[in-house]
Amino acid sequence: MASRKSTRKAQQHTPAPELADDQPVASTPKLTSADLRKRINEYIVHQGNNTFNHKQVAFAIDAKTPAARRAVEAILSTMAFDGELIEQGPGSYKAPARTNVVLGTFIRRANGKNSVVTEPDGETLLVAERNSMHALNGDKVRVIVAARRRGVEPEGEVIEIVEEKDQTFIGTLRVERLYATLQTDSRFLATDIIIPRQKLRGGKTGDKALVRITSWPEDEKCPTGEVIDILGATGDNTTEMHAILAEFGLPYRYPKNVDDAAKKIDAGITPEVVAAREDMRSVTTFTIDPRDAKDFDDALSFRKLDNGRYEVGVHIADVTHYVHPDTILDREAQQRATSVYLVDRVVPMLPEHLSNGICSLRPDEDKLTFSCIFEMDDKAKVHDARICRTVTRSNRRFTYEEAQEIIETGHGDYADEILKLNELAKTLRADRYTDGSVEFDRAEVRFEIDEKGHPVSVFFKESKDANKLIEEFMLLANKTVATFVGRPEGKHKPKAFVYRVHDMPDPGKLSDLSKIARNFGFKVKESGSSREVNKSINRMLADVKGRGEENFLSTLAIRSMAKAVYTTQNIGHYGLAFDYYTHFTSPIRRYPDMMVHRLLDRYLSGGRSVNVQKLEDQCKHSSDMEQLAANAERASIKYKQVEYMADHLGEVYEGVISGVTEWGLYVELDANKCEGLVPVRDLPGDYYDFDEKNYSLVGRRTGVRYRLGDKVKVQVARCDIAKKMLDFALLDDEGNPYEDRHAQRHGGSDRSRGSKKKNPKGRTRSRR
């Protein structure tokens, strides 16, 4: 099958039939001036600093007729007049010293606002569809930059698709007698995809399908494609969850050969294996996990020492004992890089025989573990720590709810151990905040799902002491492992390692946060040490609790932060205020943790440092896959939110503005944290401008301002489950639609006033 690129590059030199917005050149009825302009641009690209005249250009681009040659001469003259060429002498031209041809990444949008982000400066060029060569989102393209015009955004024209991004589209099939179409769910494609009947793979009308575009001729409105897989009936819960995974390029089925390879693995805890490890099966050990968890990859052990101190063990499933490098299991895990947690299911990184069986630290079973063991005093000071391979045996499996009840009542299995661990964890946490760690504590939305996968209720997952107990000891273990490698004792140099790093906040966003917080009477430092800045953020987050601006300021604080990533270049973890940090504690669900386990084993045995570039490439892939998994998780939550709210059309809710864009306001409902859009076209009584710096939409005439964090009242207006779109209608303070009081309103500065007035042409005034 020919690639999209080769198909379109071949057509690039083929005269188009006739363009609707251009006239054909005389004597050559199929060759338009647009075609000539494109060929001329391609010729100029390769001339560098050479001069040329219209005869040379006409000969090079095969413009043979007198009319075509005259057209070439006219186009060159126009380009010189527009500043796109320099006229060296009468009829002699050269390209300007600054190149007007750049490489970039094509960004396609279903709303038609295509663009190219150039390399390396990151400038955004608008690209009209007629100038796109039908490039797809993510394609690397070569673009001619149009002559700059004052007051007009820079534009470009794609002249070559240099590198195609492998991508697929999800949608619903409609099968006709001679062909089929895929109505896509994509925000990156506005058209349907035409599919020949012989490329349907048995798909029928109403099926959700995964489709690849095979060609898109420049003179065709719609691309042609082929079905890769049929996911199932549209609307079926499993089908829709698989569609979300496929949308982000994530696997939704386990290859049978990988699953079969996993099933051949035996736990293999032989006397010889035990003898090579520290045996901790006699020490009190337990797991604390979510109630629906099956992959228990961490456990805590606890015992009091003769010297009055405590031994706390953080025991992690020794996955790499079973999954060896360059095996089929390892290659699959490395490619996936992470387990994906959707609303109603987990798509595991490792086959269930390993993730929920052999490696899972289930109670009353001997398990192989990799451990950090700490000697601590009553003030949670670590006097000694060791990293070693162990054999453990969990005595009890706790849910977070069970452990929380013990913390609150003081009674239950292993109450003494849990209470002391909780006390130590609180001290560790207090010390971490004193050192400048940022404290973000936001409730997570979860759904109760019926047997058909339909959401019937919403609840909030809050982080309580039991959750924080586990979190603190996992942080301590991760920090200890990273410090062991990154800051070795004596004169030894650090070896190549996987760090989890978090960069400083964006200075511009931090400055915006500081200025806006000041308007509410809070002080956030925008300069100084990370400890000072983070302490000021924590103080603001604590002081704003329960106030109307809490959501606004906490949201801004989160958005000011960088994203954490994996890398071999350690810059520390800003949010945690750790100089050294890694991920060691979840190898069942994260491939970087497996990488860390292997490196630790190598370095504990005195092995040499590994190849840094290869390690960095793996880190980059893991970071990218982590982001895709997070996007898929959010998409699954959004799908269930829209599905849930479809049962509540017309109902009225209170909420807060959680996002502000040029196309409208996103509102998060107080009752269930579902988020929907109030389109800017539906905002009352004015034309609204987007104030990006102050996270606001501002009425041009009335001065009415809708700002991130504002309290509003809305009605559920529209639910499009297929597109995961939820629209709200804004209500006034009394809960009435603005339209109901149209005749009574005459503008003003209050949000409850104003009307949906129309311009002379009768169109609603809005900014799209």
Side-chain angles (χ1 to χ4, degrees), residues 40 78 86 88-89 130 258 295 346 352 402 415 423 436 513 577 596 602-603 673 677 689 698 711 725 741:
I40 290 168
T78 301
I86 297 172
Q88 295 289 93
R130 66 180 180 277
V258 177
D295 53 346
V346 178
E352 290 190 4
E402 290 170 337
E423 180 185 315
L513 172 64
V596 166
R602 179 187 183 98
Y603 297 157
K673 303 298 181 188
L677 176 71
D689 291 314
V698 185
K711 289 279 188 180
M725 292 173 60
R741 300 201 308 161

Side-chain angles (χ1 to χ4, degrees), residues 576-614:
L576 293 172
F578 289 166
D579 292 331
Y580 299 90
Y581 189 65
T582 190
H583 273 169
F584 161 78
T585 54
S586 295
I588 288 178
R589 62 185 180 90
R590 294 187 305 225
Y591 193 78
D593 301 56
M594 289 176 59
M595 293 160 64
V596 166
H597 282 216
R598 286 175 180 153
L599 291 170
L600 267 180
D601 183 56
R602 179 187 183 98
Y603 297 157
L604 285 168
S605 304
R608 299 177 64 181
S609 186
V610 299
N611 181 280
V612 175
Q613 188 55 55
K614 183 178 179 182

